[in-house]
Amino acid sequence: MKALVYGGPGKKSWVDVPEPKIVHATDVIVRVETTTICGTDLHILKGDVPAVEEGRILGHEGVGTITEVGSSVDSLAVGDRVIISCIKSCGHCVNCTAGLYSHCLGDEGVSGIGWIFGHLIDGTQAEYVRVPYAENSLYKLPAGVSDDEAVMLSDILPTGFEIGVQYGKVAPGDVVAVIGAGPVGLAAITTAGLYGAATIVAIDLDKNRLEKAREFGATDVVDSSASDWKDQVFALTDGAGVDVAIEAVGIPPTFGMATELVRPGGHVANVGVHGKPVELHLENLWIQNINISMGLVNTNTTPMLLKLVASKKIAAEKFGTHHFTFDQIIDAYDTFSRAAETNALKVIITR
Ligand code: NAD
Ligand code: ZN
């Protein structure tokens, strides 16, 4: 089969590799029909995620059809159409039973981390993928939900909602600032209303993404290249700062921006994957009673979000801006990595 293989920082290729096989009784094999590229894949290619070894098939998002099931799998069958969650979950370790699937202890060579596709084991940017702990890591696709909608549930929708909105403790009436209006930031923007945010401010350098942010539910947008960007955001509050600042970029300056915007008693929810240390100005922040949260998505809200996508309460199809076939995946990476020029949000890659 063909797959997108990581060859070390800056290197990737679409090449022939052996097809995956069932390894454990709880595995299934999925024929990938739709996949996409994440900002995290770009971080990997920059060398920000050193745990990814050369030769690894990238990708942690996908929709497909089960072609083979392990001997202990009962609730899934060959032919089922499924959403592949970016997080595997054994379902019975102490972390999974607490809903912390991101730290599933189920052994896959390495224990204690839920994100393994395209990271510690081969991923979904391939014609076939082996899914460990399949019964807890796959979601059956209901009728009426398209692949283009469903693939947004592998990662970006649960990430923006769980690590941005829920960890940020968005509450009714809040002013929420989202720094970075990429797919993950837009997912936070589009789900912040579920908890009653009154004002949702999208902050980005990219004018197209700011325009898109309004379509996804931002009430206001601020271009952070403006010298008065901070005053513009404060003008949308009662003058004390935002209740919740969500960082969805993953670089030191934007984390700093989040800490500058938040009001005393407010929340900074870091969603970005960082490759470098950030400066944390505790000498200023300690007295502000600020909560700072961070984390890897758990995907424990995926079944709930799937219902909202199925009932068209979340317009998941709006994230897909460009379509490619598998053999055009290198072009898809190019388009996605030059989003400021191409106006790409999520690139959809299909068989
Ligand atoms: P993306 O690269 O498409 O979007 C980032 C956005 O930030 C872009 O629109 C860019 O213009 C903007 N930006 C860059 N510098 C900026 C600045 N100085 N000021 C304002 N905006 C700026 O990425 P994405 O796919 O939306 O992902 C966002 C982040 O979330 C990434 O770091 C990704 O790795 C991370 N992520 C985290 C998890 C998790 O579990 N915590 C899961 C998935 C993705
Ligand atoms: Zn991701």
Side-chain angles (χ1 to χ4, degrees):
M1 70 164 186
K2 287 270 205 249
L4 196 279
V5 175
Y6 175 66
K11 293 186 209 141
K12 60 181 180 310
S13 46
W14 179 247
V15 289
D16 281 306
V17 294
E19 277 185 24
K21 292 187 171 60
I22 300 270
V23 177
H24 300 116
T26 48
D27 291 349
V28 311
I29 304 293
V30 174
R31 173 187 192 266
V32 181
E33 275 131 20
T34 301
T35 186
T36 179
I37 305 171
C38 179
T40 305
D41 298 319
L42 302 184
H43 279 291
I44 293 171
L45 283 160
K46 265 168 65 187
D48 284 349
V49 190
V52 181
E53 292 173 352
E54 283 178 33
R56 179 66 65 226
I57 298 173
L58 296 184
H60 50 261
E61 297 160 279
V63 175
T65 303
I66 295 178
T67 55
E68 211 182 325
V69 298
S71 57
S72 73
V73 174
D74 314 310
S75 62
L76 295 167
V78 171
D80 283 349
R81 302 217 57 234
V82 288
I83 299 168
I84 304 167
S85 175
C86 66
I87 300 294
K88 67 99 171 97
S89 157
C90 74
H92 50 71
C93 72
V94 286
N95 290 336
C96 282
T97 48
L100 196 71
Y101 305 161
S102 56
H103 292 276
C104 169
L105 296 167
D107 189 23
E108 262 298 322
V110 51
S111 159
I113 196 79
W115 170 43
I116 58 171
F117 288 120
H119 178 204
L120 306 173
I121 69 166
D122 286 333
T124 56
Q125 290 166 8
E127 291 180 308
Y128 293 87
V129 62
R130 177 178 73 90
V131 180
Y133 302 111
E135 289 183 308
N136 294 302
S137 313
L138 294 175
Y139 297 91
K140 283 193 207 174
L141 195 62
V145 178
S146 69
D147 280 30
D148 289 22
E149 292 172 305
V151 78
M152 304 309 159
L153 287 155
S154 289
D155 179 347
I156 61 160
L157 281 168
T159 296
F161 179 61
E162 294 172 16
I163 310 302
V165 176
Q166 288 192 321
Y167 277 23
K169 299 207 179 344
V170 173
D174 274 0
V175 181
V176 178
V178 178
I179 304 162
V184 171
L186 292 172
I189 287 169
T190 211
T191 56
L194 296 175
Y195 284 130
T199 302
I200 304 171
V201 192
I203 304 172
D204 204 296
L205 304 165
D206 178 339
K207 294 217 162 32
N208 167 61
R209 286 195 162 180
L210 288 176
E211 251 168 60
K212 289 273 182 193
R214 289 192 193 273
E215 290 172 30
F216 282 87
T219 55
D220 299 271
V221 301
V222 171
D223 180 340
S224 54
S225 62
S227 58
D228 66 343
W229 68 272
K230 192 174 158 184
D231 296 338
Q232 289 186 43
V233 180
F234 269 63
L236 299 166
T237 72
D238 57 8
V242 303
D243 299 292
V244 183
I246 295 174
E247 196 282 353
V249 187
I251 54 174
T254 46
F255 180 78
M257 286 163 69
T259 63
E260 281 182 52
L261 288 178
V262 70
R263 69 184 302 129
H267 297 265
V268 170
N270 179 84
V271 185
V273 171
H274 288 262
K276 292 201 186 97
V278 300
E279 260 180 52
L280 181 64
H281 286 285
L282 275 183
E283 74 283 15
N284 303 327
L285 293 171
W286 76 268
I287 204 167
Q288 309 268 10
N289 303 56
I290 286 166
N291 292 289
I292 300 180
S293 58
M294 63 199 79
L296 173 62
V297 61
N298 289 302
T299 68
N300 60 312
T301 66
T302 302
M304 183 279 288
L305 293 169
L306 177 55
K307 285 185 204 164
L308 295 179
V309 169
S311 63
K312 313 298 173 195
K313 297 275 189 313
I314 294 178
E317 78 289 346
K318 283 209 298 227
F319 288 98
T321 53
H322 291 69
H323 287 78
F324 297 89
T325 53
F326 273 4
D327 56 349
Q328 298 168 326
I329 195 165
I330 300 291
D331 297 334
Y333 263 93
D334 179 60
T335 297
F336 182 66
S337 63
R338 293 187 300 109
E341 294 145 67
T342 61
N343 292 348
L345 288 178
K346 288 298 262 188
V347 294
I348 310 247
I349 305 156
T350 48
R351 262 185 188 253

